[in-house]
Structures are given as C-alpha cells and as structure tokens.
Amino acid sequence: MKVCTYDNTVTMMRECWKDGEMVYAVALELLEDGTKTQLKHIGANIGPWKSGQHVGDLAALHKHRS
C-alpha cells in the first residue's frame, strides 16, 4: 500500500492519496482557519500548508498496473 498527503498548488487543496485514489481533500482556506474545520482524515494533519509539500510516497498519487 502506498499513501501520501500532498499540498497541491494547482488545486489549492491538501490531498490525501492511497494507491492512486484520492481519499480526502480539504481547501487551503479551511486549513489556514482551523476554527472552520476539523481534519477528519488523519493524513491531512501534517502541519501548516507548504506549497508542493508531500509526506509519504508520491507514487500513491498514480494508479499502477498490476
């Protein structure tokens, strides 16, 4: 299993991926104002937004043929 949390500068969303499928995403505006949201996915709680930041395996963002 490959997982990754990615601060995507194109979508301006923090995206949580598992084996080529996005499982959770939250908008940058909601991350910056923590009073508006509680992060419901444990992978989304990686600290402050950093453009292009990724935690985990970037290969998780792409489907792989088996």
Side-chain angles (χ1 to χ4, degrees), residues 28 42 57:
L28 170 60
I42 192 145
D57 188 342

Side-chain angles (χ1 to χ4, degrees), residues 2-56:
K2 296 179 189 313
V3 294
C4 185
T5 301
Y6 176 54
D7 289 345
N8 189 329
T9 56
V10 174
T11 63
M12 298 309 286
M13 306 270 295
R14 175 163 290 167
E15 303 170 349
C16 299
W17 292 80
K18 177 184 163 195
D19 294 331
E21 300 285 335
M22 187 187 312
V23 294
Y24 185 80
V26 63
L28 170 60
E29 296 84 22
L30 295 177
L31 286 172
E32 289 178 336
D33 184 358
T35 63
K36 291 184 179 179
T37 187
Q38 290 182 327
L39 298 177
K40 295 183 179 10
H41 190 278
I42 192 145
N45 193 7
I46 60 169
W49 172 274
K50 296 178 187 164
S51 294
Q53 167 181 235
H54 74 278
V55 175

